[in-house]
Amino acid sequence: MSTLGNSTNIFWHECPVGNHERQKLLNQKGCVVWITGLSGSGKSTLACSLGRELHSRGKLSYILDGDNLRHGLNKDLGFKAEDRIENIRRVGEVAKLFADAGLICVASLISPYRKDRDACRAMLPDDNFIEVFMNMPLELCEKRDAKGLYKLARAGKIKGFTGIDDPYEPPLNCEIEIRQKDGVCPAPCAMAGQVVSYLGRERIPAISMIYTPSIHVL
Ligand SMILES: Nc1ncnc2c1ncn2[C@@H]1O[C@H](COP(=O)(O)OS(=O)(=O)O)[C@@H](OP(=O)(O)O)[C@H]1O
Ligand SMILES: Nc1ncnc2c1ncn2[C@@H]1O[C@H](COP(=O)(O)OP(=O)(O)O)[C@@H](O)[C@H]1O
């Protein structure tokens, strides 16, 4: 019997088909690839490119995009600190379920606070949480301003915008960092390649592939 959280008198039910059996069925090991970074840093672009690359290699993945989830699961949440904390907590829990189901779950959210990302990491067994930091300068994100939100934030029309008047805490120990080289941002397929390469190198039973920069199925 558990008395964790607000519910009492609740019981955990074991299911007859376990995580290992699902992994065997799918021929992959579930994990969470957590992409964090400023608005406009390329999180969604990487998530989509990575999803496509994994799919082409016969690996089942699913993207949890912050913007998209705020249209449904998290539509009751705004951007004040407590709402962001709850946003990350919920997505962390959902990502954990996807990983348990055997999928490579790609979560792309600003997730500005280190403590919340670390809490999501702590929900999963060791090595199953791969944090990817989109380390792009604010100036680049602001220059891109794909949604025009930085302009509104600078004009004071959006309050509490990450990087402008709300904090972003960069990871201290992320597994993967994506940054500019010689002032140039890697192309989306190269960013995805960096992640796939890591997955292939560090999690050979999970992904069983070595990255080659092409779209062929291994
Ligand atoms: N105040 C403020 N600060 C930051 N971002 C804002 C804000 N208001 C709206 N938006 C838009 O919401 C998207 C971020 O949602 P997330 O769920 O990823 O944010 S968070 O992780 O809870 O901080 C973010 O999407 P991305 O640009 O894809 O990051 C913005 O489009
Ligand atoms: N590697 C890249 N090279 C060039 N442009 C990019 C790259 N990644 C993202 N972009 C562009 O930057 C803008 C913001 O990218 P997006 O993926 O929406 O960022 P985020 O999800 O972090 O807000 C988009 O217009 C996108 O096309």
Side-chain angles (χ1 to χ4, degrees), residues 72-86:
L73 176 69
N74 294 331
K75 68 189 228 191
D76 57 324
L77 301 176
F79 288 92
K80 47 184 200 282
E82 70 220 59
D83 283 5
R84 293 188 201 246
I85 291 168
E86 176 60 9

Side-chain angles (χ1 to χ4, degrees), residues 62 95 151 192 211:
Y62 195 81
K151 202 169 169 209
Y211 178 70

Side-chain angles (χ1 to χ4, degrees), residues 109-126:
L109 297 95
I110 296 179
S111 40
Y113 312 137
R114 204 175 287 136
K115 198 168 158 227
D116 303 329
R117 296 190 302 266
D118 288 347
C120 294
R121 181 186 287 277
M123 288 177 197
L124 288 144
D126 274 353

